[in-house]
Structures are given as C-alpha cells and as structure tokens.
Amino acid sequence: MTAEPTVIVPARAPAPASTTPAKSGTPPHLTNWPLIHNMPDFLTPLLTDTFYLYYRNLNRTLGPIMTHFIFDRVENYVSDPTEMKRILTSKEFRRNDFFLKVTPDVFGYALFAMETGPVWQKHRKAIVSGMGPQFVRKAYGVTVDLVQDLTRMFDAHIVNSEDGSFVMNIREYLSLLTLDVLTRVAFSHDMNCLQGFDDLKSGKDSVDKRSVQLRTYVDEIGRIGIYRTFVPKFLWGFFKISETDVVPITTYFDAMINEFLAPRRQKAEEGEEEESESDLLTPLLKKTEDGEMLFSDKEIRDECMALMFAGHDTTSNTITNVFLQLCQHPDALKTLHQEIDANYPPDSTEFPRLDELSKFEYLDYVFKETQRTKNILMGLDRVVASENMEMLGYKFKKNDYFSANLQTVFLDPQYWGPDAEEFKPERWINKEVVDGTFMPFGAGQHMCPGMKMAIMEAKVVLIQLLRTFDFELIPGQKLELVDGIVCHLPNGLELKVTKRREE
Ligand code: HEM
C-alpha cells in the first residue's frame, strides 16, 4: 500500500482584528445552583467514572466553549481546534500543578503534571536529554525480546490446552510487558513482571508475585488522583481516597523503586554513576558543580514513580484498545494481516528492523484511528498565565482554568465527516488533518517526550502477536472506557487466543 503522508491544514483563517468587544459574561453552562453548583448533573458521571463522556456531550451541546462549576472550581472546556492549539502552545497559558498538590503522598513531583516553570524545566531537560534516538533504539531491542518471550508464553498455554486455545486478559499482559520495557530501558533494571505474572497464571510458584497487584494499584491511583481533584477533602474518607487509603499502594511502589534506585543512588554518591550504563536515572542522579545532588531524593523517587505511570499505562491501554477495535472490525484486521505478511513473511525469522517499521503504513492508520476513536486522555488542562485573555468572544483573567477537550474534537463530524464515530483506518490515506483536531500526544512545550517509544512499542507488539495468533473477544464484557489517570476498559480485555489460521 502506498500513501502520501498525512497533511496538516490550518483550522481556520486567522480572525480579522475584532470590531466587537468581548462579552464579559460567562460562556454557556448548565444551571449553576447555589452551593451545589453543577453537582446534580455531575454526580452520575462521577459515580460511574464516565465524566469524559459527560464533558464531551456538554461541549457538543453547549458549543466550543462552555463553563462548568463544581464547588470552588470553575472550569472552561474548549473544543475549537484553533483555540485548543492556542491553549497548548501559547505563552498565554501554563500548566498548573493542582493534580500534584492533591497527590503529594503519591507523586509530589512528576514531569507529566508539573507546573510550567523553572522546576518543570529542570526535570524536562533531564528527562528529555535521556530520551533521544539511542533511548528508542534500546527500547526497540528490549520490546522485540519481550514480545518474543510473550509469544513463547502464549504458545505454551496453547500447547498445554485441550482444544488449542486459551483465554487471557490482554491488558494484564501488555501492562506488564510495557512496564518491563520501561524499567529495563529507563532504569536499566529488569523487573521481570511479565514472566512472574505468567508463571503465576500457569500455576507455577513464581519468585515474584508483585505483578498480580500492579493493575489494581495503577487503576486505584488513577481513581484516587482524579477524585481528589473534584472531591472536597472532608469527603475523601467516604470515597476511600484519603492518605490512609493510599499507604498500601505507595508502600508497594516504594519497594519496587527502591530496588533499582538505592544501588544507583549509592553509586552516584560515591561518584561512580558516570561509568554506569546511561539511562533516565543518569541525568536524575547528576551532581551540581558544587558536588550537591541536582535533584532531591524525593524528586528522584517521584519522577521514577511518574515515569513508570507515563511510560507504561498510556501505551498498554492504547494497544489494548487497538486489539478491541481489530476484534470488532475483521475487515481492518484482514488488511493489516496482509500488510504484516508482506513485510514480515511467515517463513522469515528475522524481526523487521527499527527503520523498517515505517513500511507498516496500514498499521500506522490502525494505531492513529484507535487513538482518535478511543483516546486515553479526555483533555489537557492549563490555566491562564497572562493578566487578561480573550477567547471565542469571552473575557478571562489570570489563573482561570481551561481544558482542551481532545475527545470532542477527535470525534467531531465537522472535521472527520459524518462517519466520525466509526473506526475506519482507511480515512488516514492522504488525509488532510485540520490543525488542532488530532493531538493524542499533546502539543507545545509539554508535548509527550515518549511518543516515538510508544508508537514503536505498539507496532512491535502488534506485528508479532497478530502475525502469530488469532484473537477473539470473549462476550459479555464491559467495553465502554472509564476515567482514570488515563481512560481505560474497566476490567481490561478478555480474549480467546489460538494459533493463527490460514486466511
Ligand atoms: C500511547 C502512549 C502515550 C500517550 C497517548 C501519551 C500522551 C501524552 C500527552 C498528551 C502528554 C502531554 C501532557 C500535557 O500537555 O500536559 C504527555 C506527556 C508526557 N509523556 Fe506521554 N504519552 C504516551 C506514552 C509515553 C511514554 C512511553 C513515556 C515515557 C517513556 C511518556 C512520558 C511522558 C512524559 C514524561 C510527559 C510529560 C512532559 C511534560 O509535561 O513536559 N509518555 N504524554
């Protein structure tokens, strides 16, 4: 299949200098009741973990800018592509750290949620310096090794089964695979979570039982983090999001982090760190010219915790969504199989090289189309940095809260056609993408530094698994995404796996 690269076209012509003054009122909103504000409308989505759908519908019904009131939070949601791009790329906005402020016992410092400013800049510089092309190359080698291990595990389950099939939850495997990739590449430490998990599944007494707890804890931290941003502190106990509820989770992660961090920290203090293999700990463990550690112990611990989240939960949930879409769209799967067989023939034993992954164009469309239709992030938050700001005819002031509502615009028929809600990878062939309508990795100074790694990982995993196995959806599952740090399937994705049949 040959295709021209995706073209970006401007969202709309720059507006002529306005002759009408901005309105001073509030953008469209639901009835703002005294004391309880929008709580009557918000309660159901909050309790069912589906407020990403709620905000999407509000932007659809109230327009490209709308305001939402919850207790002392006044939030503006925007679904106009030009203004969303402005929110993410212009100096008129900055990210604030309200997520970290409510989770000091979990993250405290985390590049992905840090306030735009000098501390963020110091962390960003350190992390990005370690995430160049050599990082992606290392990640490619590790991913190929681990996905081949995974293939052997699936093969063994099939061989040991009575009917040549077995049922598993793909998100659990992908979650542990991507965590193993991340820790091997970023921290030069083998957690061996994937093997530990499969040993337990196979009834073997694994040396490492931690992997079983991981999914529950990751999802629980997501829930706690999100709830704490909405729920007033006096209700934290009721929602089981208090400091006490978090202790078992942080104890679990601290033990994990300490395993690789303690020996490296000691090396750094003894001045031997430079000689060790370069990874993301190397810049974090650097000393200043005065011989002081550049980052505090808490900063380093929190950044490790944050990278473990940003680097694995995002990718594994996205790949899980690709499996879901492919199981529900056999025609797309058939086209993808043809592409995989053409570029990695069944008799070949050599996995495609990193530079050969670009040949898998249809796979690229499948990945993008999954991100468009089942994006894992509802929106990206910022606050106004300048004293005064105008948007879409309304006036705002410093620190007013904004969210660029990604999911609304990813599914807007105005930009994607009347079939916007449908999964159609072919739409990406020669697609002219309107600027600001597709930003799954963000835009501007906070744009995802792990994008190349994530896309590479997804491609390697999908090529290898789809080439080798057939996957079938187990009926009766909940297939609607729910909120968390990332939107995800509430119980993962149960699939029946068999050896791939001839088509
Ligand atoms: C499909 C997978 C992924 C998606 C959809 C994704 C998405 C994003 C988005 C939208 C942002 C911007 C946040 C903002 O503007 O506030 C972001 C930031 C970030 N991502 Fe990713 N990401 C993915 C994978 C990864 C991976 C694999 C890593 C690391 C290995 C990573 C590390 C980070 C970090 C550290 C930031 C914070 C950057 C900053 O604020 O300066 N991400 N990601």
Side-chain angles (χ1 to χ4, degrees):
M1 176 168 302
T2 54
E4 294 300 316
T6 308
V7 182
I8 308 274
V9 295
R12 55 178 153 83
S18 173
T19 46
T20 44
K23 298 166 222 165
S24 53
T26 309
H29 55 84
L30 301 169
T31 307
N32 185 14
W33 301 100
L35 292 174
I36 50 173
H37 307 286
N38 291 151
M39 208 46 171
D41 300 280
F42 188 61
L43 204 57
T44 307
L46 181 68
L47 295 176
T48 53
D49 290 327
T50 53
F51 47 79
Y52 75 96
L53 289 175
Y54 168 78
Y55 287 124
R56 191 201 290 171
N57 286 335
L58 285 185
N59 263 129
R60 278 181 181 170
T61 49
L62 296 174
I65 184 159
M66 64 91 180
T67 304
H68 194 257
F69 304 88
I70 286 293
F71 301 116
D72 58 346
R73 279 181 62 147
V74 180
E75 310 164 321
N76 300 291
Y77 287 81
V78 177
S79 62
D80 174 276
T82 308
E83 301 301 355
M84 286 166 62
K85 194 83 191 271
R86 180 176 159 207
I87 290 172
L88 298 182
T89 58
S90 125
K91 291 267 185 292
E92 296 166 284
F93 294 86
R94 64 181 174 83
R95 193 169 61 195
N96 88 350
D97 58 352
F98 70 84
F99 182 76
L100 297 182
K101 284 220 176 88
V102 292
T103 53
D105 46 346
V106 184
F107 292 111
Y109 294 90
L111 183 58
F112 71 78
M114 224 177 257
E115 180 165 27
T116 318
V119 182
W120 162 75
Q121 220 151 24
K122 187 175 87 161
H123 279 248
R124 170 111 189 162
K125 198 171 156 209
I127 299 298
V128 170
S129 74
M131 288 178 83
Q134 82 290 352
F135 184 79
V136 180
R137 268 198 301 277
K138 187 174 163 193
Y140 162 78
V142 172
T143 312
V144 171
D145 286 350
L146 279 164
V147 82
Q148 280 167 350
D149 288 349
L150 184 61
T151 308
R152 280 189 284 276
M153 290 170 198
F154 284 5
D155 273 333
H157 286 293
I158 290 174
V159 167
N160 293 331
S161 70
E162 284 176 5
D163 64 351
S165 77
F166 81 106
V167 174
M168 51 92 212
N169 193 323
I170 190 86
R171 189 175 65 136
E172 289 182 339
Y173 278 97
L174 293 175
S175 189
L176 298 165
L177 182 143
T178 49
L179 185 67
D180 278 350
V181 173
L182 196 269
T183 51
R184 274 207 214 171
V185 180
F187 310 133
S188 306
H189 177 74
D190 192 357
M191 296 272 237
N192 220 0
C193 285
L194 184 63
Q195 187 65 57
F197 176 75
D198 193 63
D199 282 351
L200 286 171
K201 282 263 153 196
S202 317
K204 292 183 203 154
D205 188 19
S206 167
V207 244
D208 195 344
K209 298 185 175 58
R210 291 175 304 184
S211 50
V212 179
Q213 204 63 48
L214 181 86
R215 260 292 15 118
T216 325
Y217 280 165
V218 168
D219 288 347
E220 192 51 13
I221 284 197
R223 188 188 73 87
I224 291 170
I226 298 291
Y227 269 55
R228 281 188 183 179
T229 62
F230 291 110
V231 177
K233 200 159 184 180
F234 70 91
L235 287 174
W236 283 11
F238 175 77
F239 283 96
K240 297 206 178 340
I241 57 173
S242 71
E243 282 86 353
T244 326
D245 295 304
V246 161
V247 169
I249 309 181
T250 45
T251 309
Y252 167 89
F253 280 103
D254 280 341
M256 245 185 198
I257 293 169
N258 207 36
E259 214 174 280
F260 57 80
L261 188 54
R264 289 288 292 275
R265 192 182 266 143
Q266 195 180 341
K267 263 188 175 182
E269 274 158 17
E270 288 162 6
E272 287 172 21
E273 173 59 20
E274 297 301 318
E275 291 154 34
S276 71
E277 195 186 352
S278 175
D279 56 20
L280 292 191
L281 287 180
T282 313
L284 287 174
L285 289 165
K286 275 223 164 89
K287 286 186 175 170
T288 61
E289 282 174 4
D290 307 334
E292 299 293 319
M293 295 297 281
L294 187 58
F295 293 93
S296 69
D297 283 359
K298 170 134 178 76
E299 278 178 291
I300 301 169
R301 176 267 175 211
D302 288 358
E303 204 53 87
C304 290
M305 173 89 170
L307 280 165
M308 281 165 68
F309 271 75
H312 106 274
D313 204 30
T314 47
T315 314
S316 57
N317 278 298
T318 305
I319 311 176
T320 302
N321 292 343
V322 176
F323 273 97
L324 173 59
Q325 293 291 35
L326 288 174
C327 286
Q328 292 180 324
H329 297 89
D331 288 348
L333 178 61
K334 194 171 169 194
T335 311
L336 185 53
H337 270 149
Q338 284 163 355
E339 180 179 82
I340 293 173
D341 293 343
N343 290 312
Y344 184 15
D347 55 354
S348 166
T349 50
E350 199 87 348
F351 196 86
R353 292 190 315 267
L354 179 59
D355 63 335
E356 289 172 330
L357 295 182
S358 56
K359 288 188 192 163
F360 295 79
E361 284 173 345
Y362 192 76
L363 177 56
D364 207 48
Y365 303 150
V366 165
F367 187 72
K368 281 193 182 124
E369 187 66 349
T370 302
Q371 288 197 299
R372 189 186 70 77
T373 50
K374 291 199 179 291
N375 195 44
I376 55 162
L377 295 167
M378 179 189 88
L380 297 172
D381 307 339
R382 297 290 186 267
V383 294
V384 177
S386 45
E387 285 306 327
N388 296 297
M389 193 274 298
E390 278 183 32
M391 186 176 284
L392 296 170
Y394 294 93
K395 284 183 180 174
F396 299 93
K397 53 185 193 318
K398 195 169 179 171
N399 293 329
D400 279 355
Y401 171 98
F402 277 78
S403 175
N405 196 339
L406 300 181
Q407 291 194 358
T408 309
V409 83
F410 286 11
L411 294 170
D412 191 336
Q414 201 182 331
Y415 308 108
W416 301 97
D419 58 358
E421 299 269 343
E422 287 170 41
F423 177 81
K424 285 190 176 168
E426 284 73 14
R427 80 171 73 242
W428 289 91
I429 302 172
N430 299 335
K431 171 79 183 155
E432 290 194 345
V433 175
V434 176
D435 200 13
T437 56
F438 188 65
M439 304 184 288
F441 291 99
Q445 55 185 348
H446 290 286
M447 190 172 169
C448 179
M451 177 176 81
K452 287 198 173 134
M453 172 173 171
I455 296 175
M456 175 284 296
E457 267 186 281
K459 285 190 171 172
V460 168
V461 168
L462 290 161
I463 291 169
Q464 174 66 15
L465 294 186
L466 295 173
R467 176 185 193 252
T468 321
F469 304 103
D470 283 331
F471 297 91
E472 206 181 298
L473 268 184
I474 299 296
Q477 303 182 63
K478 286 187 184 158
L479 298 179
E480 190 76 76
L481 303 187
V482 292
D483 301 300
I485 289 189
V486 301
C487 296
H488 59 279
L489 290 166
N491 304 312
L493 188 65
E494 295 249 308
L495 299 175
K496 179 173 161 186
V497 191
T498 48
K499 212 63 189 162
R500 190 171 153 207
R501 290 180 294 269
E502 295 283 325
E503 272 160 21

